[in-house]
Amino acid sequence: MSKRIITINRMFGSGGRMIGKTLAEELDIHFYDKELIELASKEKKIPFDELAKVDEKKANQWLFPVDYEVQMNPEYHFIPMNDVLYELQRDIIINLADKEDCVIVGRCANHILKDKTLSIFIYAPFEDRVKNVMERTGREEKSVRKLVRRMDKERKAYYEYFTDSKWTDMSEYDLCIDSSRFTQEQILNILKGSL
């Protein structure tokens, strides 16, 4: 690896995004998560909000999740916006990895950059993730349980649709960490020691 490229896939509520953001800050390198949607939005002049609706989601053949006018643009007429966004983000991820050190969260980046990245999977038991999301959002438990299940289902479907690999197959990653067993500081030390 000539550049320090770290990709992080994460179960919802495991703290993976925050771990990635803090790691990037401590290494003084760029961090990309929702920022990839912003870059794609600027590149194709598609409203950010429309792309955010399909981010890390597999296309639904029965539903256009984005604004009808955007989807009916001749350039995208027969291509689900989910696929448009994936291809845009794939190209952006490849370009970023060629020119800078960075941490990239989600978006199948570990698969796109195979052998060019330290790929991490952050997970935790369901109950711990529910508790984390409740603390972070202040939402009631029943609502959070549904949210955690839905987000994991969406991330799994997205990853498996675009990669033909299993999202939770630990052989897809260089390092898998149960975030419930370590403090964030310990996880960051493990990750920094792996670079």
Side-chain angles (χ1 to χ4, degrees), residues 124-160:
F126 181 76
E127 295 301 327
D128 289 288
R129 295 185 293 125
V130 167
K131 182 179 160 215
N132 291 342
V133 175
M134 285 173 61
E135 289 171 2
R136 192 176 75 219
T137 65
R139 291 171 69 165
E140 65 174 34
E141 185 176 346
K142 184 177 179 182
S143 165
V144 169
R145 286 179 173 281
K146 287 168 87 171
L147 176 63
V148 171
R149 282 190 188 98
R150 180 175 57 83
M151 292 300 294
D152 279 350
K153 185 177 177 183
E154 285 177 2
R155 287 178 181 172
K156 177 182 185 290
Y158 172 84
Y159 186 86
E160 293 180 1

Side-chain angles (χ1 to χ4, degrees), residues 37-131:
I37 306 170
E38 188 69 41
L39 292 170
S41 171
K42 287 177 182 169
E43 186 171 315
K44 285 294 185 176
K45 296 180 179 37
I46 300 171
F48 175 88
D49 293 341
E50 297 301 324
L51 291 178
K53 290 177 188 174
V54 298
D55 184 44
E56 290 196 288
K57 292 182 178 79
K58 179 180 121 178
N60 179 338
Q61 63 183 347
W62 307 111
L63 173 70
F64 285 132
V66 298
D67 180 84
Y68 182 78
E69 292 298 319
V70 174
Q71 189 65 62
M72 291 300 111
N73 178 318
E75 189 176 354
Y76 312 120
H77 187 67
F78 296 106
I79 305 168
M81 195 55 61
N82 310 64
D83 292 6
V84 171
L85 179 58
Y86 175 80
E87 291 299 323
L88 283 169
Q89 288 181 334
R90 182 181 57 78
D91 293 345
I92 290 167
I93 287 167
I94 290 168
N95 289 333
L96 290 171
D98 284 342
K99 67 181 185 181
E100 66 184 55
D101 296 345
C102 59
V103 174
I104 303 171
V105 174
R107 283 114 192 136
C108 306
N110 68 307
H111 198 268
I112 293 166
L113 299 175
K114 201 140 192 97
D115 301 325
K116 295 180 183 177
T117 176
L118 174 64
S119 63
I120 319 263
F121 187 73
I122 307 288
Y123 65 99
F126 181 76
E127 295 301 327
D128 289 288
R129 295 185 293 125
V130 167
K131 182 179 160 215

Side-chain angles (χ1 to χ4, degrees), residues 11 14 19 120-126 128-129 170 175-183 186-187 190:
M11 287 183 164
S14 66
I19 290 165
I120 319 263
F121 187 73
I122 307 288
Y123 65 99
F126 181 76
D128 289 288
R129 295 185 293 125
M170 300 301 165
L175 188 58
C176 301
I177 299 175
D178 179 348
S179 61
S180 71
R181 299 188 49 143
F182 305 96
T183 66
Q186 289 171 323
I187 293 170
I190 292 167

